[in-house]
């Protein structure tokens, strides 16, 4: 289906000749890049071209020991004792250098992760800098945040992050930990380590005392060794619900504090009194931008029955205008899927949904031959019992269900193991408040979607995890009282 809005855009590629990547990256421990005890390295690829970008060290349990020991030493000898306003200066410095090197970081993020440069340039990198700015401001004001409660730091935080927002997740984790006086061992995901390693260079340039932030690379076993380490006091994890459960089991009976930010399957609810054109834009923003690689993606659309035909028709027309392709092209809306494994998983769900008898709609967008791509996809006429409705797909795939009454949509929206986020579109404030009080989701957007701010807490209910990141709430998991 072609719409009148279909123009051909001339390519507008972002330059990458200013990017300096080393062939091989070591582990960032105690302020220096050091070779891994394991002597092993693994490759990280550009999912848009399938080209190898660099090799990174594979940390084993001895490397984890070294990183934790360096974090503990820096905590005991330097960071814990440093006046809070001095700590804040380092965090401000990191924020400023991220801003200065924003272009380089955005290009690396898009090359390593596959997300469109527009997203990494306009969202990921500036929001990462904002998180450092925001938490730098809190560092010397903890007594005001928690009056009469004598907030104290915990010690060493082990932080494990996924591949969908590599730099931003590193910022979400590192900034509040440092502001509250803790030291850090962070592990980025195995398929997107490069922006975290660039952040390690920035931290080195900012002259942070050695060992305050350590960044190590590796697979799940490296993460597991971090979680199990006896000198780790706090675990902050963002990733799959399956691994979240493994981590919870591993720390049961210890006094390690944890925050887990896990999967999601958000309901995006459109009432018949909603501004339909804006809602369609919000639906597209909620699931298709960023390839659906967002745990809070609005992946389940609920449309009130009497406007369903109109919404679906306008949605299809808008989807036809989405450009799928080179992440480094500024016109691209949907970049590359992060890895072949992830693309295979999405394709498997496309088969499952079709077998479940759902109507599948995919746009006529052309997709590059090399690299991992998925066209924006709808499953129309979905029901609660469908696997594509119940399970997290993590791709540009939207299921569409209809509803008649507000009670019905609340029941359906909540009937899911997850509870991370939701969206509601209506022109009635009373309906928004009624719904937001009954939806079991940590974040609910009204007449917008996927808006983030460092001052707002983020986190889930049920199998989406526990604990909050962002805002004043995001300080709490790093403190004892
Ligand atoms: P995703 O599906 O988003 O990749 P994962 O939960 O598999 O989510 O991975 C998120 C992060 O958790 C990655 O950095 C990965 O290496 C790490 N990880 C995987 N398995 C484990 C484990 N058993 N213990 C700790 N960390 C793990």
């Amino acid at each position: 289906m072609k719409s009148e809005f279909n123009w051909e855009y001339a390519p507008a590629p972002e330059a990458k000749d200013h990017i300096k990547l080393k062939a091989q990256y070591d582990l960032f421990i105690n302020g220096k890049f050091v070779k891994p005890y394991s002597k092993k390295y693994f490759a990280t690829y550009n999912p848009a071209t399938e080209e190898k970008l660099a090799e990174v060290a594979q940390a084993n349990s001895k490397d984890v020991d070294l990183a934790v020991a360096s974090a503990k030493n820096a905590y005991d000898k330097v960071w814990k004792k440093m006046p809070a306003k001095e700590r804040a200066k380092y965090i401000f410095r990191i924020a400023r250098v991220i801003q200065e090197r924003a272009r380089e970081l955005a290009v690396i993020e898009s090359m390593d992760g596959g997300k469109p440069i527009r997203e990494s340039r306009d969202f990921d990198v500036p929001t990462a800098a904002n998180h450092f700015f925001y938490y730098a401001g809190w560092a010397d004001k903890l007594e005001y945040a928690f009056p009469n409660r004598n907030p104290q730091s915990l010690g060493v935080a082990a932080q494990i992050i996924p591949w969908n927002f590599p730099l931003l997740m590193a910022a979400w984790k590192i900034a509040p930990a440092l502001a509250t006086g803790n030291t850090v061992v962070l592990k980025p995901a195995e398929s997107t380590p490069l922006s975290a390693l660039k952040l390690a260079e920035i931290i080195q340039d900012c002259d942070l005392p050695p060992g305050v932030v350590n960044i190590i690379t590796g697979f799940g076993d490296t993460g597991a060794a971090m979680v199990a380490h006896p000198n780790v006091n706090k675990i902050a994890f963002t990733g799959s619900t399956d691994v979240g459960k493994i981590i919870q089991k591993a720390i049961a009976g210890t006094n390690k504090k944890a925050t887990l930010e896990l999967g999601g399957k958000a309901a995006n609810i459109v009432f018949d009194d909603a501004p339909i054109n804006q809602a369609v834009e919000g639906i597209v923003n909620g699931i298709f931008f960023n390839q659906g690689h967002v745990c809070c993606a609005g992946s389940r659309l609920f449309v009130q029955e009497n406007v369903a035909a109109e919404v679906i028709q306008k949605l299809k027309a808008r989807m036809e205008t989405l450009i799928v392709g080179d992440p480094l092209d500024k016109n691209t809306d949907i970049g590359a899927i992060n890895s072949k494994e992830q693309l295979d998983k999405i394709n498997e769900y496309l088969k499952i949904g079709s077998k479940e008898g759902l109507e599948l709609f995919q746009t006529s967008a052309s997709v590059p031959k090399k690299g991992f791509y998925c066209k924006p996809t709808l499953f129309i006429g979905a029901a609660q019992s469908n696997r594509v409705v119940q399970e997290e797909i993590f791709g540009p795939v939207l299921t569409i269900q209809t509803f008649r009454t507000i009670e019905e949509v609340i029941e359906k929206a909540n009937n899911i193991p997850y509870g991370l986020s939701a969206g509601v579109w209506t022109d009635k404030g009373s309906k928004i408040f009624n719904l937001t009080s009954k939806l079991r989701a940590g974040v609910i957007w009204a007449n917008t979607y996927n808006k983030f701010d460092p001052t707002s807490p983020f986190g889930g209910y049920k199998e989406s995890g526990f604990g909050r990141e962002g805002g004043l709430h995001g300080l709490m998991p790093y403190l004892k009282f």
Side-chain angles (χ1 to χ4, degrees), residues 140-156:
D140 62 349
K141 301 176 194 70
L142 298 178
E143 303 92 89
Y144 301 96
F146 308 105
N148 300 322
R149 293 183 65 193
N150 190 25
Q152 301 291 319
S153 55
L154 300 174
V156 177

Side-chain angles (χ1 to χ4, degrees), residues 25 226-227 254 280 435 480:
Y25 283 89
M226 291 164 66
V227 169
T254 71
V280 166
L435 218 79
K480 56 184 178 227

Side-chain angles (χ1 to χ4, degrees), residues 301-330:
L301 176 64
F302 290 93
V303 194
Q304 203 154 18
E305 203 174 76
N306 51 334
V307 290
E310 180 190 354
V311 169
I312 292 170
Q313 180 258 324
K314 287 188 166 167
L315 181 59
K316 285 180 174 173
R318 177 67 178 95
M319 284 166 69
E320 282 293 356
T321 68
L322 297 176
I323 299 170
V324 186
D326 179 5
L328 287 180
D329 191 314
K330 289 161 206 145

Side-chain angles (χ1 to χ4, degrees), residues 161-197:
I161 57 174
W163 46 258
N164 57 346
F165 292 90
L167 184 71
L168 183 58
M169 287 300 109
W172 275 30
K173 300 275 181 283
I174 296 174
L178 297 187
T180 46
N182 299 280
T183 57
V184 165
V185 179
L186 175 118
K187 186 187 92 62
E190 47 272 36
S191 60
T192 52
L194 295 180
S195 56
L197 291 163

Side-chain angles (χ1 to χ4, degrees), residues 115-116 119 123-124 162-166 168-169 172 238-239 261-267 283-300 333 336-338 342 345-346 391-397 418 420-421 443 445 449-452 458 464:
K115 65 172 58 192
E119 285 280 329
F123 177 71
D124 295 56
W163 46 258
N164 57 346
F165 292 90
L168 183 58
M169 287 300 109
W172 275 30
T238 300
E261 202 263 273
L262 310 175
K265 191 79 184 176
I283 296 163
V284 167
N285 176 28
I287 182 70
F288 296 127
F289 291 160
N290 236 319
Q291 306 76 245
H293 285 352
V294 194
C295 14
C296 54
S299 49
R300 290 183 298 151
D333 297 300
I337 302 298
N338 182 254
Q342 187 56 27
K345 184 180 153 201
I346 296 168
E391 296 171 22
E392 192 181 34
I393 301 174
F394 231 64
V397 182
Y418 299 107
L420 191 57
S421 57
V443 180
W445 287 286
Y449 207 91
N450 266 349
K451 292 284 176 252
F452 285 89
F458 183 87
S464 293

Side-chain angles (χ1 to χ4, degrees), residues 160-163 187-190 219-220 223-224 237-240 243 246-247:
I160 301 169
I161 57 174
W163 46 258
K187 186 187 92 62
E190 47 272 36
F219 294 82
F237 172 78
T238 300
S240 62
V243 174
I246 295 173
I247 291 178

